[in-house]
Amino acid sequence: QAQLVESGGDLVQAGDSLRLSCTASGFGAGDLKMAWFRQAPGKEREGVGCLRRISGFTSLTDSVKGRFTISRDLAKNALYLQMKSLKTEDTAMYYCAATTSVGLGCRLRPDDYDHWGQGTQVTVSS
């Protein structure tokens, strides 16, 4: 059974860095579209970044460009989100998502993904 497990969330101060990890299992060796989404209380789920597992193609939402980096480790079946210069507005539950329906590139639309992790909480204090 395909599964995504996130880790790395924490309580940090504004300006700090944090790396989130997502371990994928049960998807086989084929290509995947993988993504990070986040959801703050009272707000809609927002796409942060996505990646194609085989090619390494990435896309980030504008609000995190220059601060966040999305990457993967093929050997570990892992997806990462390196976050720097964190702001209080980055506070949210962060979710890993994936799909084997790959198409072209990747998009930051929740409906594109059919597997989700349980989430990891990131809280940034001022």
Side-chain angles (χ1 to χ4, degrees), residues 16 38-40 46 63-64 67-68 83-94 121-124:
D16 284 353
R38 64 186 180 184
Q39 189 165 20
E46 173 192 24
S63 65
V64 305
R67 300 189 300 122
F68 291 10
M83 305 183 290
K84 299 180 180 180
S85 302
L86 282 161
K87 304 176 181 180
T88 55
E89 51 263 45
D90 295 318
T91 294
M93 184 72 78
Y94 282 71
Q121 178 67 38
V122 174
T123 303
V124 185

Side-chain angles (χ1 to χ4, degrees), residues 11-123:
L11 169 63
V12 297
Q13 291 189 330
D16 284 353
S17 298
L18 200 61
R19 189 178 81 159
L20 305 183
S21 300
C22 171
T23 301
S25 60
F27 287 94
D31 202 4
L32 286 178
K33 279 194 297 194
M34 303 184 76
W36 287 101
F37 287 82
R38 64 186 180 184
Q39 189 165 20
K43 294 187 177 181
E44 292 187 355
R45 191 163 293 192
E46 173 192 24
V48 178
C50 62
L51 172 148
R52 292 291 296 269
R53 184 167 73 171
I54 300 300
S55 69
F57 170 87
T58 63
S59 179
L60 291 168
T61 194
D62 286 345
S63 65
V64 305
K65 286 179 180 177
R67 300 189 300 122
F68 291 10
T69 304
I70 189 170
S71 63
R72 90 292 196 211
D73 185 324
L74 292 175
K76 295 181 179 179
N77 286 323
L79 176 73
Y80 302 107
L81 184 67
Q82 178 68 52
M83 305 183 290
K84 299 180 180 180
S85 302
L86 282 161
K87 304 176 181 180
T88 55
E89 51 263 45
D90 295 318
T91 294
M93 184 72 78
Y94 282 71
Y95 297 92
C96 178
T99 181
T100 57
S101 299
V102 290
L104 295 174
C106 62
R107 299 186 302 184
L108 296 175
R109 294 175 56 176
D111 288 349
D112 283 4
Y113 300 87
D114 46 26
H115 291 84
W116 293 83
Q118 293 300 306
T120 186
Q121 178 67 38
V122 174
T123 303

